[in-house]
Amino acid sequence: MKLVRLDDIVGTDREVSAKQWTSRRLLLADAGMGFSVHDTLIHPGAPLEMHYKHHLEAVYCVEGRGWIEDHATGERHAIAPGTLYALDAHDHHTLFADERMRMVCVFNPPVTGREVHGPDGAYPAPPARADDD
Ligand code: 9YT
């Protein structure tokens, strides 16, 4: 069994920041769980366009309010505490925080370390495993 405390992540290399977010990476690929778990703050006031081409992500809002737009349909959905969105089709999307949002994010395959979005809105593909052909 492994225990991880947010206090032990903040200020270490497992706290990763980009302009619009700060991701506290509680579990990474090296935990061997098959997914990663992040406690992520979304900073308010600027749209954040993302397109995870190599990962599936589920995002559960626990604090703050905002909205998400699905680029495939143009639909916008309100996000508030108690709402989860699942990017089950590598959905191209934009997230906007009206106020600081705190999200619990789960990635499959797991994020390996300090990934930030590339110009295409994706995190890089995970390294190939030895048993992959
Ligand atoms: C909700 C979202 O995807 N935010 C960007 C950061 C990412 N979730 C992360 O690495 O924690």
Side-chain angles (χ1 to χ4, degrees):
M1 187 182 295
K2 178 187 288 286
L3 281 91
V4 181
R5 296 190 170 86
L6 182 60
D7 281 351
D8 297 330
I9 302 287
V10 170
T12 72
D13 64 356
R14 287 182 169 239
E15 181 178 46
V16 180
S17 288
K19 190 173 162 212
Q20 286 153 287
W21 50 266
T22 300
S23 174
R24 289 82 62 93
R25 297 187 166 161
L26 300 163
L27 282 179
L28 287 169
D30 62 1
M33 301 286 288
F35 52 82
S36 58
V37 180
H38 315 181
D39 179 326
T40 298
L41 304 174
I42 307 293
H43 309 309
L48 173 55
E49 185 175 342
M50 295 174 276
H51 192 182
Y52 293 112
K53 295 169 186 167
H54 313 292
H55 299 81
L56 302 174
E57 186 193 22
V59 180
Y60 184 59
C61 178
V62 294
E63 291 176 16
R65 287 175 189 277
W67 49 261
I68 187 168
E69 181 172 319
D70 180 344
H71 285 227
T73 63
E75 285 179 307
R76 272 191 192 182
H77 308 280
I79 304 293
T83 304
L84 176 143
Y85 64 85
L87 304 169
D88 58 349
H90 302 282
D91 311 78
H92 186 189
H93 63 289
T94 292
L95 182 64
F96 187 90
D98 293 310
E99 56 193 50
R100 191 185 83 167
M101 300 169 88
R102 185 173 179 198
M103 315 292 236
V104 178
C105 307
V106 176
F107 280 81
N108 169 25
V111 165
T112 61
R114 299 187 57 81
E115 286 94 329
V116 293
H117 300 109
D120 58 352
Y123 287 168
R129 295 186 329 213
D131 55 348
D132 283 349
D133 280 352

